[in-house]
Amino acid sequence: MNTFVMALRGLYGVWLREITRATRDRAQLIGGISRPLIWLLILGVGLNPYFRGEVYGEVRYVIPYTYLQFLFPAVIVLNIMYTSIQFAVSVIWDREFGFLREVLVSPMPRWLILLGKVLGGATVAMLHGGLVLILARFADVTLSLEQTAVALVLMFVLAFGLTSFGVILAARVRSFEGFGVFSNTVILPLYFTSSSVFPLDPALTRAQQAVTYPEWLVFLVQINPITYAVDALRGVLINFNQFPPLWGPLVIVAMAVVFFIIALIDFNRQ
Amino acid sequence: MTSPLPEAPQGPLPAIAISVEKLSAAYGGRTVLDEVTLQIPRGTSFALLGPNGAGKTTLLNILSTLRRPDGGSASVAGADVVRQQTLARRSLGVVFQDSSLDDRLSAWENLEFHGLVYGMAPKLRRERSAAVLALVELEDWRDDIVRSFSGGMRRRLEIARALLHEPQILFLDEPTVGLDAQTRLRIWRYLDEMRRERQLTVLTTTHYIEEVESADTVCIIDHGRIIAEGSPEVLKSRHGSRWLHVVPRDQAALDAIRAQRPDAQLLGQHGLALPADDGAMTDAFLTAFRDRLTEVRFQDPTLESVFLSLTGRQLRDRADGDRDAERAAGRRGGRR
Ligand SMILES: Nc1ncnc2c1ncn2[C@@H]1O[C@H](COP(=O)(O)OP(=O)(O)OP(=O)(O)O)[C@@H](O)[C@H]1O
Ligand SMILES: [Mg+2]
């Protein structure tokens, strides 16, 4: 019992440190606020008129949603991705500047240290995703309390998985500079091939089979786990799924479990 | 630090706090620790003395479970550092050679973090944090972000943090580099008190000779091997040498002495130092030159000279300022 309370305190301490550090990191906060504004205000508003437009001369309302509504859940995922994967920097920081040793010589078991760290990073990333929710009204998305709660849970689990992924990257990268390049070459391709900015099937109705994407692109989208995370959030927020509704949550949970286990193996090896 | 220790330990048994058995370590085939064997009794202070690269930090890293040994075994507070890591860590407080503070947190937040990670209850955390902050005289900076601290302030906070959870065994890897004499004295006094009252065991590496002088046991380590171990007095009487310091009356006298005693070393502008272990030779010298000297003084063996005679090298009181500057530059360079 006593050791359990002590472990909880340790977990809380590690978590709290991540939160405290994040609130002092202005740059990250500015990124978390400006990113959704740019994506929704500029890309979203700019492309909104074209989304329901004509395809090969015929006007078809292919999706009963505006482009802004369609994009909205994807921008949440984008914000979570950036913050989560950027978390690797915090891990590299601890390692390179010696703070890690302070925790490693404490009685806390390693898995608990990692869990606290990932929970902290995931909380911050979820909150950054939550910032986007404030723009819901602007994007014409009306949210009930229940929808918001379900979305936040999905966002947290997604953030947990992606933060673990960040830890895995950190174990393989030696320098901060290297990581900067690396993170952009990982985040943006994953984002663009997640059916975030365009629907998987441009036609979405049988009548428009003529308009299809090349097979390789469809393939990339289908094997990208982020696709299903975006789909899960679309299901909750705008009630639109491109895949069976259960796939999204399943993929999100699977990512959290698998990535955390790999991160733990890496962390134990150091 | 010169305070007398009680003759017999007050604990139930004169337990061994740290035990190291034929410990070896290598980096890429290069031996860094070579079958080191040590026994450190509880409640004593033990100083590791050795030049740069001797393996001191490596030994502390193994004892604090950060690194696995490549041979041999070690235990702290009775817990094996490989097989019973958690148990071993519970008894330790560690001050690392380079900073391991979070410089984005305040002094208080760093202590709070430490207390939480060691599972301390809220009330105890607050009390102990206030106490250790007072010890290192940082109360006025408790809510300042560590990044704004000077090198010495960081060092003080780090020492305070290592004492927060009242460990049984304290490792200090060159803890007092960059600290002013007054702070050093305060901290050593406190540690002495803890040693007497709570049987705290202190294992230090240091380059300040005067701190080594006050240790119960000094261990000289070079190239990963222990070359001498014992109380400062024993080491000095066994390996040290006496010197005769003289100031000749004039240049002619100086030249004459140097001609007769080629082993004489210049000391400052006018002085000379001569090895004085050989009594007969010294007497002969003094008889011969008595009238041509203005000053005569015997210098008792120092640990400095012990070190010199054992390793053939001077234990430079290294330019600590340089190292601090280097360290600070490293930190700045890595900052985003
Ligand atoms: N991570 C490492 N990789 C390779 N070699 C290392 C590593 N760490 C230490 N060494 C080597 O091990 C030897 C002992 O290093 P250690 O840090 O234990 O010395 P030290 O006695 O603490 O020296 P100092 O007084 O400079 O702190 C050195 O020769 C060093 O080059
Ligand atoms: Mg060292």
Side-chain angles (χ1 to χ4, degrees), chain B residues 57 97 173-174:
Chain B
T57 300
Q97 187 165 355
D173 201 351
E174 301 190 30

Side-chain angles (χ1 to χ4, degrees), chain A residues 6 9-10 12-14 17 20-21 24-25 89 93 97-99 101-108 176, chain B residues 64 66 86 89 96 98-102 104-105 109 113-114 116-121 125 145 161 334 336:
Chain A
M6 283 170 74
R9 282 191 192 122
Y12 170 69
V14 177
R17 168 169 177 261
T20 313
R21 281 171 65 91
R24 294 196 182 143
D25 191 349
V89 170
W93 183 285
F97 291 95
F99 185 82
R101 290 173 305 176
E102 146 81 351
V103 225
L104 289 185
V105 297
S106 81
M108 263 180 95
F176 293 104
Chain B
S64 48
L66 287 183
T86 309
R89 290 199 291 253
F96 296 101
D98 344 84
S99 174
S100 65
L101 296 166
D102 186 336
R104 289 214 189 139
L105 300 185
E109 286 164 344
F113 176 85
H114 188 87
L116 281 169
V117 161
Y118 280 78
M120 293 164 69
R125 249 175 9 236
I145 301 294
R161 186 180 66 179
R336 275 182 294 168

Side-chain angles (χ1 to χ4, degrees), chain B residues 1 45-47 210-218 231-233:
Chain B
M1 43 182 160
S45 71
F46 189 98
E210 65 267 37
E211 282 175 1
V212 176
E213 298 272 5
S214 70
D216 296 328
T217 311
V218 176
S231 72
E233 290 69 36

Side-chain angles (χ1 to χ4, degrees), chain A residues 151-168:
Chain A
L152 284 175
V153 170
L154 282 177
M155 282 156 62
F156 184 77
V157 182
L158 174 65
F160 187 93
L162 290 177
T163 304
S164 303
F165 182 65
V167 175
I168 297 171

